[in-house]
Amino acid sequence: MTGTFAQVKQDTIWLKKGMILIYRKKEFQISKDTFWILQDKHLLRIKTHKSFWQRKWVKKALDLVYMPRRDTMVIPLVKSENPFLRYEGKRITRIDFKRLKPFATSVLDTTPRAANLSSRLANALHMNTRVSILKKNLLVKQGDTLNAFILADNERILRSLPFLRDVRIVPIVSQIDTNQVHLLIITQDNWSISSDGSPNGIVGGNIRVFENNLLGLGHRFEHNFILNLDNNQIFGYEMGYLIKNLGNRFAELQIRYANVNDRNSYGVFLQRRFVSPIIRYAGGLQLQRTWEVRPLFSPDSLRFVRMPVQFRWADAWLARAFSLSKKNFTAEQQRTRLIISARYQYLTFLERPRIRKDSLQLFHHQQNALMSIALNQRNYYKANLIYAFGKTEDVPYGFATELTFGKSFGEFFTRPYIAWQGAWANFVQPLGYLYLSAEASTFGNTTFANYEQGLLRLQMRYFTYLYKWANTSWRHFLHLTYTHGYRRFAQEVLDLNNERGIRGYGNNRVFGTNRLAINFETIAFLPVMVHGFRIAVFAFADVGVLSQPPVSTLPPRQVLSGFGLGVRLRNDNLSFNALQFRLAYYPTVPAGAQRFILDGSDIFSYQFLNFETQNAKISVFR
């Protein structure tokens, strides 16, 4: 039966799935292994058949495109410190690292898996993060007493590094002394060399190329090439170099240069953040020089007018965190911190439009001196299939409140400034995750007898628990943001373009000083994987309302909306954002614009809004 055709004369024959039986000039496809009992003496012919997809050369070709499916392991929602509580108080005697390659590996199961040819080749070419770099990002050391919250913080800090896909810390109790533990830190690298880009209609686009882990040192080197046939400057270029954890102090240094779309800029940025509540000092320094052609809203023409601008910018801040823990506090309450920060900003223009005392205030020279007092408490859950497609995600919960005050020393006036903001987030049974925040700020005219540049912003972010239906994992998201401007300058306006209200929408003729944006999305994470790319389909509905326009000639209220469907592809082992293909419908569009838009691009990776208080700042109206 192994040949193409075979003749048999038996009472009973054994047929395997996939064979074709030719009997009495008719063909029968054998769908499963079975016996055939002969009823007469007619000759049989049995044809062994390989489908197109079973042929050897087809399998080899598919091996370059598809990789064996590995089901996404849904991570149960758990507080990040819970896995380490049973080891609390034990002495750390040893710390080892197990470094995994980007493809066909997992920190949840380190058993070697079958990998296709392209995965094996990519793993062979990849240089793993050096152990010395991983050690620099540790909060614990040999000889320390294990603290479950600090160890959970360290796992989260390592996982947040752009060159690592996922991290798992496994305490192993000593068989000799049960009061001692050995830490095994399992890390899985991202494939660090990558590129992405997006088209800009038929007039251009951009291609970004970057190395996220240069020579295994954790340095990021990025290049962005831009083409825009509609601009005076057709070709553009941007470059950035980032060093994480400079000097083993959790500080980062970044150098940036840009020459793109009538903007030439270079600068250096140095900062240290409160990456964990045990960090006591944070600070930053930014120096930048920029020349650009800036769009300036003109109330007379109701258009944006292009104005050449050149300026120098300096920004320095320092903050100190104080523990407020008491003996009767719970473990979570022990992480409450009081943070005091001071900040100085300096802005001077070398080229600008002709200004007056009462106009074009955004182009006045100014210096800002600010202080803030903040109270926060932050902890984390671990989950997945929220904004990423399978990797462990750290979901913040807790609260933060901050009071900022200071003075702005302008070219013509000195104005006091005051602001307050607060936020709270947690999982709420049985609804899901809820984030609420409020922010209010204002400047005074010399004193607070009169107010100007006032701002009120209210925000809610919500997503459901993950649930299964039709062998697919589902979530729903709802974002609401209300922004109210009070006595803003004439050049300060709000719109509903893209991430500020309606995704994929662009209209430079619709403005206001009050805005309500409502964004809803349903996403389904499909149980399929193509060459490491997981697939999700989504539907969205965005509605936005603009009111209180800067001039009376515009309608007092304008309602806009957008609806659509799309698909996202993401490989969490790679460094670039998810790829997205989206079909959107906009009921109200400017004259000559399209109501239906089909586009494909990389999308910005959403991030959680946490309670990591940093520095005193002036609220941004946008």
Side-chain angles (χ1 to χ4, degrees):
M1 295 185 197
T2 58
T4 304
F5 291 94
Q7 292 187 354
V8 292
K9 294 182 180 180
Q10 297 180 7
D11 294 331
T12 304
I13 59 173
W14 171 251
L15 300 174
K16 297 186 68 175
K17 177 182 177 181
M19 289 181 173
I20 297 176
L21 179 68
I22 304 175
Y23 178 65
R24 289 186 173 179
K25 299 182 180 180
K26 294 183 180 180
E27 291 191 0
F28 300 90
Q29 176 74 48
I30 307 302
S31 60
K32 61 181 180 180
D33 294 354
T34 186
F35 286 100
W36 181 280
I37 301 175
L38 295 174
Q39 302 294 331
D40 52 38
K41 296 184 179 180
H42 280 80
L43 289 176
L44 299 178
R45 286 194 298 173
I46 300 170
K47 180 171 138 182
T48 57
H49 173 74
K50 288 186 177 180
S51 70
F52 175 80
W53 305 106
Q54 293 175 319
R55 295 175 185 175
K56 186 175 181 181
W57 70 270
V58 176
K59 287 185 174 182
K60 288 291 184 182
L62 289 177
D63 188 51
L64 298 174
V65 179
Y66 292 88
M67 68 185 301
R69 173 184 164 187
R70 185 172 74 237
D71 290 336
T72 297
M73 299 178 66
V74 176
I75 299 175
L77 183 66
V78 62
K79 292 184 177 180
S80 60
E81 70 277 4
N82 282 6
F84 308 117
L85 289 175
R86 59 185 293 193
Y87 308 102
E88 182 85 18
K90 298 184 184 295
R91 182 170 173 269
I92 301 172
T93 58
R94 182 177 170 185
I95 301 176
D96 287 326
F97 293 89
K98 182 177 180 61
R99 298 172 296 159
L100 304 178
K101 293 288 187 178
F103 300 102
T105 60
S106 170
V107 300
L108 300 176
D109 180 7
T110 60
T111 305
R113 300 176 181 271
N116 60 21
L117 177 60
S118 57
S119 296
R120 295 195 300 270
L121 179 61
N123 282 342
L125 294 175
H126 177 76
M127 178 180 292
N128 266 349
T129 304
R130 301 186 186 189
V131 172
S132 60
I133 300 301
L134 298 175
K135 287 181 177 180
K136 286 170 59 176
N137 287 279
L138 293 185
L139 297 171
V140 298
K141 62 181 183 298
Q142 185 175 329
D144 286 353
T145 299
L146 192 148
N147 180 298
F149 284 89
I150 293 177
L151 204 58
D153 279 343
N154 214 152
E155 191 177 68
R156 172 180 54 81
I157 290 169
L158 288 169
R159 191 158 41 238
S160 69
L161 296 173
F163 45 86
L164 294 182
R165 179 189 186 271
D166 211 345
V167 176
R168 183 184 174 202
I169 300 180
V170 181
I172 303 172
V173 178
S174 171
Q175 296 182 351
I176 300 175
D177 185 349
T178 57
N179 290 319
Q180 297 180 351
V181 292
H182 159 215
L183 295 184
L184 176 61
I185 302 177
I186 306 170
T187 64
Q188 181 188 6
D189 272 26
N190 274 325
W191 174 254
S192 60
I193 302 174
S194 194
S195 65
D196 57 24
S198 59
N200 181 19
I202 61 173
V203 298
N206 78 292
I207 297 176
R208 189 167 60 113
V209 182
F210 53 90
E211 163 60 77
N212 233 10
N213 194 2
L214 187 64
L215 301 177
L217 295 171
H219 296 186
R220 178 184 176 90
F221 197 20
E222 176 184 338
H223 305 271
N224 191 18
F225 304 92
I226 301 99
L227 174 66
N228 190 343
L229 300 178
D230 272 355
N231 200 279
N232 293 332
Q233 182 180 351
I234 296 177
F235 298 101
Y237 172 71
E238 291 178 319
M239 182 274 290
Y241 195 88
L242 173 65
I243 302 175
K244 302 285 287 187
N245 202 351
L246 189 67
N248 296 13
R249 297 292 182 180
F250 291 98
E252 60 183 45
L253 174 67
Q254 186 174 16
I255 300 171
R256 298 203 65 87
Y257 169 78
N259 184 4
V260 55
N261 294 345
D262 295 328
R263 179 171 62 89
N264 191 299
S265 176
Y266 55 88
V268 59
F269 311 86
L270 175 67
Q271 74 167 347
R272 186 191 195 218
R273 300 162 38 225
F274 289 114
V275 295
S276 168
I278 70 172
I279 302 294
R280 293 188 297 170
Y281 290 96
L285 175 65
Q286 176 182 344
L287 301 173
Q288 184 176 351
R289 178 165 177 166
T290 299
W291 177 92
E292 64 184 358
V293 178
R294 181 180 297 181
L296 174 67
F297 178 72
S298 171
D300 299 328
S301 63
L302 300 181
R303 294 176 179 271
F304 280 95
V305 180
R306 294 163 60 85
M307 293 285 187
V309 174
Q310 187 176 178
F311 62 88
R312 290 195 187 102
W313 169 257
D315 186 357
W317 63 277
L318 181 65
R320 171 70 157 90
F322 300 89
S323 173
L324 298 182
S325 62
K326 294 182 179 180
K327 290 183 179 180
N328 60 342
F329 277 11
T330 65
E332 291 181 352
Q333 292 172 334
Q334 297 280 353
R335 292 163 64 83
T336 305
R337 293 295 183 269
L338 175 69
I339 299 174
I340 299 176
S341 69
R343 189 174 191 178
Y344 172 77
Q345 297 173 315
Y346 174 82
L347 173 65
T348 181
F349 287 90
L350 307 175
E351 182 180 357
R352 59 182 175 177
R354 184 183 298 272
I355 66 166
R356 294 198 306 267
K357 189 176 183 178
D358 58 349
S359 68
L360 297 178
Q361 294 92 335
L362 299 180
F363 299 97
H364 291 184
H365 304 313
Q366 67 177 15
Q367 300 177 58
N368 301 320
L370 304 169
M371 287 196 67
S372 71
I373 301 174
L375 185 70
N376 77 4
Q377 180 189 119
R378 56 191 170 110
N379 295 284
Y380 295 85
Y381 288 94
K382 289 196 292 188
N384 67 343
L385 296 179
I386 304 174
Y387 295 130
F389 281 42
K391 64 180 290 187
T392 305
E393 298 177 71
D394 298 288
V395 186
Y397 71 97
F399 69 87
T401 181
E402 182 176 9
L403 177 66
T404 301
F405 53 91
K407 283 193 174 183
S408 177
F409 302 92
E411 195 167 350
F412 300 100
F413 302 104
T414 297
R415 301 184 300 163
Y417 175 78
I418 188 167
W420 172 85
Q421 58 182 352
W424 173 91
N426 210 332
F427 280 91
V428 179
Q429 294 284 358
L431 301 175
Y433 181 78
L434 182 63
Y435 172 94
L436 300 172
S437 71
E439 178 182 5
S441 66
T442 186
F443 284 92
N445 261 333
T446 307
T447 67
F448 282 112
N450 294 305
Y451 301 94
E452 63 184 14
Q453 283 190 289
L455 169 67
L456 172 66
R457 181 180 289 116
L458 305 175
Q459 188 172 16
M460 183 197 82
R461 287 193 177 187
Y462 164 77
F463 60 79
T464 64
Y465 291 103
L466 189 73
Y467 68 94
K468 281 268 191 179
W469 183 71
N471 198 30
T472 301
S473 299
W474 297 76
R475 280 194 199 273
H476 309 289
F477 297 82
L478 178 64
H479 293 180
L480 280 80
T481 305
Y482 175 71
T483 305
H484 179 89
Y486 175 73
R487 296 186 66 182
R488 306 300 303 192
F489 294 148
Q491 298 80 35
E492 296 180 296
V493 292
L494 300 172
D495 60 42
L496 286 166
N497 296 344
N498 294 309
E499 71 278 0
R500 295 184 292 277
I502 300 175
R503 68 196 85 185
Y505 183 82
N507 188 343
N508 291 329
R509 292 294 189 89
V510 181
F511 311 106
T513 54
N514 297 343
R515 177 180 62 204
L516 173 65
I518 304 173
N519 310 104
F520 175 79
E521 179 173 299
T522 291
I523 187 168
F525 299 94
L526 303 183
V528 295
M529 184 167 63
V530 179
H531 196 59
F533 282 88
R534 301 193 184 276
I535 302 174
V537 295
F538 67 95
F540 71 89
D542 297 334
V543 178
V545 181
L546 284 172
S547 61
Q548 296 295 322
V551 292
S552 59
T553 55
L554 289 173
R557 180 177 289 106
Q558 301 175 83
V559 181
L560 303 172
S561 58
F563 309 92
L565 304 167
V567 60
R568 293 185 184 126
L569 307 174
R570 184 179 181 116
N571 188 326
D572 283 324
N573 299 312
L574 303 178
S575 300
F576 59 77
N577 300 329
L579 301 176
Q580 176 176 270
F581 302 92
R582 177 181 61 202
L583 174 64
Y585 169 68
Y586 306 101
T588 305
V589 295
Q594 295 180 338
R595 295 182 184 273
F596 287 93
I597 296 179
L598 177 64
D599 63 7
S601 65
D602 66 321
I603 62 170
F604 175 76
S605 297
Y606 285 102
Q607 296 180 343
F608 293 100
L609 302 176
N610 60 29
F611 313 101
E612 187 182 316
T613 303
Q614 297 297 340
N615 50 41
K617 54 185 172 294
I618 293 176
S619 300
V620 179
F621 183 73
R622 61 183 177 191

